[in-house]
Amino acid sequence: MTHYPKVFIYDLDGVITDTAEFHFLAWQKLAEELGILFDRQFNEQLKGINRMDSLDRILQLDASQPEFSSEEKEKLAARKNDYYLELIEAINPSHILPGIETLLKANKAANVKIALGSASKNAPAILEKLGLTSYFDYIVDASKVEKGKPDPETFTTAAEALGISYPDCIGLEDSAAGVEAINKANMYSVGVGDPAHLSHAHYLVADTSALMFDEIIKQYQTQQEREK
């Protein structure tokens, strides 16, 4: 009998919508205020990384920065988030990445559960703005987990909340840290993006428009057969 997955766990940034540009602009504004040079190239390292870890990495760019206390860091991270929230006010359904709503519909029609596994505390608000909340059976955001990606906790939390065993889960990610988290959770990883960063994904597509539900299922089942 062919094995069928029980849940798709979607990352938010870079898979459902692309708020990476808004994150970059918000971090850049904060960095400028601190006198730190922060560019797009360095920003690539922050993909899939949570807010506090991102802040630590940015502060390490400038050795002359003072030693900030935990409380001061929380305030800096909150300031960045305020800038980000101002920027994402403009998000609407036109910001859904190509092919994603079609994939969600096929996912729903097949009675396979749908969860969100995001490093963003703003994930529920963004899904609401995109008009996609009704598709999701469970949402994991940064407030529900202690360890960010590449730790598997984001994905295992979704599976446990829905009562689904890890090998029955498919995770969709665009970051190296995210794919690593899915693999560590013993789930099937679907990567979206550049093979140079995502060669460790079980199945890889160049962009979201190439994400086809039936093809993902086929690739997942082929892997299951191989592992028998």
Side-chain angles (χ1 to χ4, degrees), residues 117-145:
S118 173
S120 171
K121 283 184 180 169
N122 304 302
I126 292 169
L127 275 190
E128 199 64 45
K129 283 177 177 293
L130 294 169
L132 297 176
T133 308
S134 62
Y135 286 104
F136 288 83
D137 297 292
Y138 192 74
I139 294 172
V140 179
D141 60 36
S143 66
K144 289 196 172 82
V145 294

Side-chain angles (χ1 to χ4, degrees), residues 138-180:
Y138 192 74
I139 294 172
V140 179
D141 60 36
S143 66
K144 289 196 172 82
V145 294
E146 283 177 21
K147 297 182 191 125
K149 303 164 190 176
D151 189 276
E153 191 186 356
T154 299
F155 294 94
T156 57
T157 298
E160 282 160 17
L162 294 167
I164 293 167
S165 67
Y166 302 163
D168 291 333
C169 304
I170 293 178
L172 296 89
E173 269 284 354
D174 73 315
S175 73
V179 170
E180 190 183 330

Side-chain angles (χ1 to χ4, degrees), residues 71-87:
E71 198 181 333
E72 286 168 331
K73 282 183 182 177
E74 288 286 352
K75 282 180 181 167
L76 288 173
R79 199 196 309 172
K80 177 265 171 178
N81 194 48
D82 287 342
Y83 297 150
Y84 173 72
L85 291 174
E86 284 167 24
L87 291 162

Side-chain angles (χ1 to χ4, degrees), residues 59-133:
L59 293 174
Q60 283 163 15
L61 284 170
D62 182 1
S64 70
Q65 287 295 313
E67 194 65 49
F68 290 101
S69 68
S70 297
E71 198 181 333
E72 286 168 331
K73 282 183 182 177
E74 288 286 352
K75 282 180 181 167
L76 288 173
R79 199 196 309 172
K80 177 265 171 178
N81 194 48
D82 287 342
Y83 297 150
Y84 173 72
L85 291 174
E86 284 167 24
L87 291 162
I88 63 164
E89 273 305 309
I91 283 188
N92 60 53
S94 75
H95 291 92
I96 299 168
L97 287 172
I100 288 298
E101 194 153 18
T102 303
L103 180 62
L104 286 166
K105 282 176 180 163
N107 196 160
K108 200 87 172 162
N111 285 320
V112 173
K113 297 269 187 203
I114 302 175
L116 188 79
S118 173
S120 171
K121 283 184 180 169
N122 304 302
I126 292 169
L127 275 190
E128 199 64 45
K129 283 177 177 293
L130 294 169
L132 297 176
T133 308

